[in-house]
Amino acid sequence: MSAPIEIEFETEEEGALAAAAGTVVVLALGPEGLTPAALAADAAMGGGLTRAIAAAEWKGKPGDLIRFPAPAGLSADALLLVSLGAEPGVEDARKAGGAVSAAVTGKAAKKGVSVFAGGTGAPETAAALAFGMALRAYGFDVYKTGEDDRVERGEVRLYADAPEKVSRAARDDMAVAEGVFFARDLVNEPANVLGTEEFAARLAAMGELGLEIEILEEADLRSLGMRALLGVGEGSVQPTKVVVMHWRGGGDEAPVALVGKGVVFDTGGISLKPAGGMEEMTMDMGGAGLVAGVMRALALRGAKANVVGLVGLVENMPDGKAQRPGDIVKSMKGDTIEVINTDAEGRLLLADVLWYAQERFKPAAMMNFATLTGAMIIALGHQYAGYFANDDAFADEFGAAAKAAGEKAWRLPMDPAFDKQIKSRLADIKNTGGRPAGSITAAQFLKRFVKDEVPWIHVDIAGVALVSEATDLAPRGATGWGVRAVDALVKGRETR
């Protein structure tokens, strides 16, 4: 898998700035403030840095950057002046770190980067800067054959006032970064490589990290009555599976359950999708990738919590054996579902896995994640994930965690008034209610498979799992959205 860059945290010794090779990064605090290393660089450059700031009408917003090639008086090939903002917070520092990694690529990255972060305040600020660098320094180059296309990074050193404190503050962040990278890799993989068998195998390998891994095969799913899930995969040669990942880092308390949609490729089935853009349906397992990334992060940082992750893995294909519109299937819960559209398959998968998670693990709270509806992209674009909840306190807890992690999420309403749209003439419920309020009716469908006493959140990541343009902390492609937010939620519960 792709590995985050390794960052060495060190104390700045006299002469380190002048001797640093590769790319040197110095920091600004807003439009006028310069850190000690930036002032030293300006002196070495004969005031060239401050003259450039004035000429460029420098705003000094977080992530603003000026590049100086072959700076006079220094050994470096290039110097970057990067702003943390006038009063930098954690999110500002992450953004600045992302700007550094986005600017240092190719041969320059191979020569190494030295970041001089002394004078930036609390250790958490420097740690967040490092986290932003790590998250943005991602590239999925497994299938690139040209040497110039390979993503390679040289040595990265971050000089700080209290490097041991910064290193401690960054430790958990780097575990989360690896979880994010794992999720990104899974989403970026093509479906001819990452089928249900390979997906399950990659999750099983995480047993080496201390996770308990169990794989339920089709015979197990039949005996459990997961006919809604199994129906989705009837047209595929890929076997349908459920993978359970259990992290027991807490006491005897009931776990938090995380459930992910893992449709490794979605043609829409008999209700076939248009050809344009169908190649992106390799990302329809983004919910499962998110859950897997969270579980990896929890294991790597030794989270003091009990969390169980469950992912349903299936492929939705058209075939002579495929599920048809008009079919009626019986869920594990016992409710019957009329399949109106085979492209509304994710909720069928989640219905069974949600019920199984509750029946077996009796969770204290439960969340599910899915690239579920195109309607969510219409509602919130590619900036926000949408979420729905049956419990206000749990919804507030997740909203605060997402905000702290710097991941945008917006709560949408639920209301029994929408249930009439998914009322079936022939069965207990139908799997789609048409175009109006499409994301809400999907949430109302899932709510039917959540017990009243279980705090539950459904997160629709259709717009944020894969993006066509780079963000502050990710190149274009898979983002790993949600790994940071859910880890923050779990960490908040560890202190209770």
Side-chain angles (χ1 to χ4, degrees), residues 135-364:
L135 289 171
R136 187 60 178 81
Y138 171 86
F140 190 74
D141 61 6
V142 176
Y143 303 104
K144 298 282 192 179
T145 59
E147 191 170 325
D148 290 342
D149 294 325
R150 303 289 293 180
V151 177
E152 294 185 37
R153 297 276 174 175
E155 186 177 70
V156 178
R157 296 180 182 274
L158 191 148
Y159 296 96
D161 294 326
E164 67 288 343
K165 292 182 179 179
V166 176
S167 181
R168 284 198 298 271
R171 187 189 73 87
D172 286 355
D173 283 346
M174 294 308 167
V176 174
E178 186 166 327
V180 171
F181 277 33
F182 188 55
R184 289 176 181 175
D185 280 358
L186 291 170
V187 173
N188 278 326
E189 284 283 10
N192 63 318
V193 173
L194 194 73
T196 59
E197 294 273 21
E198 175 64 17
F199 203 138
R202 294 192 188 190
L203 301 188
M206 289 202 294
E208 298 176 354
L209 303 178
L211 290 162
E212 298 174 19
I213 310 293
E214 181 181 358
I215 300 175
L216 305 180
E217 304 291 353
E218 286 190 350
D220 303 311
L221 305 181
R222 288 193 192 93
S223 66
L224 289 165
M226 292 193 187
R227 301 290 174 179
L229 166 59
L230 286 166
V232 176
E234 286 180 346
S236 175
V237 297
Q238 295 279 344
T240 299
K241 298 172 183 286
V242 170
V243 181
V244 179
M245 299 162 280
H246 208 151
W247 175 252
R248 302 179 191 271
D252 297 328
E253 71 270 15
V256 173
L258 310 176
V259 177
K261 171 189 171 185
V263 179
V264 295
F265 193 79
D266 182 21
T267 65
I270 297 299
S271 304
L272 193 67
K273 291 178 182 291
M278 194 193 290
E279 72 279 358
E280 291 190 350
M281 286 300 100
T282 57
M283 52 77 77
D284 211 23
M285 37 58 64
L290 188 165
V291 171
V294 171
M295 299 307 295
R296 189 176 193 91
L298 297 179
L300 286 170
R301 70 173 181 82
K304 293 177 172 61
N306 293 336
V307 181
V308 60
L310 305 96
V311 298
L313 305 179
V314 67
E315 186 176 41
N316 188 22
M317 298 287 281
D319 181 77
K321 296 180 180 179
Q323 185 167 257
R324 297 156 289 247
D327 284 1
I328 294 176
V329 294
K330 190 174 184 180
S331 69
M332 181 182 174
K333 178 188 174 188
D335 289 0
T336 55
I337 305 167
E338 181 183 8
V339 179
I340 300 298
N341 187 323
T342 63
D343 195 24
E345 84 297 334
R347 64 203 71 180
L348 300 176
L349 178 163
L350 291 171
D352 276 345
V353 183
L354 285 168
W355 196 255
Y356 175 73
Q358 295 165 97
E359 288 286 280
R360 178 174 173 187
F361 295 106
K362 307 296 188 293

Side-chain angles (χ1 to χ4, degrees), residues 334-466:
D335 289 0
T336 55
I337 305 167
E338 181 183 8
V339 179
I340 300 298
N341 187 323
T342 63
D343 195 24
E345 84 297 334
R347 64 203 71 180
L348 300 176
L349 178 163
L350 291 171
D352 276 345
V353 183
L354 285 168
W355 196 255
Y356 175 73
Q358 295 165 97
E359 288 286 280
R360 178 174 173 187
F361 295 106
K362 307 296 188 293
M366 181 169 64
M367 303 181 73
N368 70 258
F369 308 89
T371 49
L372 203 66
T373 64
M376 186 56 68
I377 302 175
I378 301 302
L380 297 179
H382 296 282
Q383 302 300 318
Y384 283 80
Y387 69 101
F388 306 80
N390 67 354
D391 183 277
D392 289 342
F394 191 29
D396 291 345
E397 182 183 357
F398 175 65
K403 184 176 181 179
E407 296 195 299
K408 295 178 180 179
W410 193 266
R411 187 180 181 185
L412 283 85
M414 299 188 72
D415 194 301
F418 293 100
D419 287 342
K420 62 184 180 182
Q421 290 179 234
I422 51 175
K423 186 175 182 180
S424 170
R425 179 178 66 89
L426 300 171
D428 295 324
I429 193 171
K430 58 183 181 180
N431 77 327
T432 181
R435 296 189 68 184
S439 295
I440 299 176
T441 55
Q444 292 292 139
F445 178 97
L446 294 176
K447 184 178 182 293
R448 189 180 182 104
F449 300 91
V450 178
K451 298 181 180 183
D452 291 340
E453 67 273 17
V454 178
W456 162 76
I457 294 174
H458 155 54
V459 189
D460 192 333
I461 61 172
V464 294
L466 187 81

Side-chain angles (χ1 to χ4, degrees), residues 62-63 91 94-103 105 131-138 153 180-181 184 381-385 405-408 463-482 484:
E91 189 169 352
R94 284 194 293 246
K95 184 174 182 179
V100 171
S101 286
T105 59
F131 191 31
M133 289 183 64
L135 289 171
R136 187 60 178 81
Y138 171 86
R153 297 276 174 175
V180 171
F181 277 33
R184 289 176 181 175
H382 296 282
Q383 302 300 318
Y384 283 80
E407 296 195 299
K408 295 178 180 179
V464 294
L466 187 81
V467 293
S468 59
E469 296 181 358
T471 68
D472 291 338
L473 300 178
R476 66 189 181 102
T479 64
W481 189 99
R484 290 184 284 140

Side-chain angles (χ1 to χ4, degrees), residues 21-111:
T23 299
V24 163
V25 178
V26 295
L27 302 170
L29 300 173
E32 297 180 358
L34 294 177
T35 61
L39 290 171
D42 186 46
M45 296 163 64
L49 191 150
T50 50
R51 289 197 302 274
I53 288 174
E57 298 183 354
W58 170 259
K59 301 299 184 184
K61 295 179 181 179
D64 281 358
L65 181 150
I66 302 177
R67 178 191 293 274
F68 300 85
L74 301 176
S75 300
D77 293 333
L79 179 140
L80 304 181
L81 175 68
V82 183
S83 179
L84 292 171
E87 297 180 1
V90 168
E91 189 169 352
D92 296 330
R94 284 194 293 246
K95 184 174 182 179
V100 171
S101 286
V104 185
T105 59
K107 293 179 180 179
K110 294 178 186 178
K111 291 185 177 181

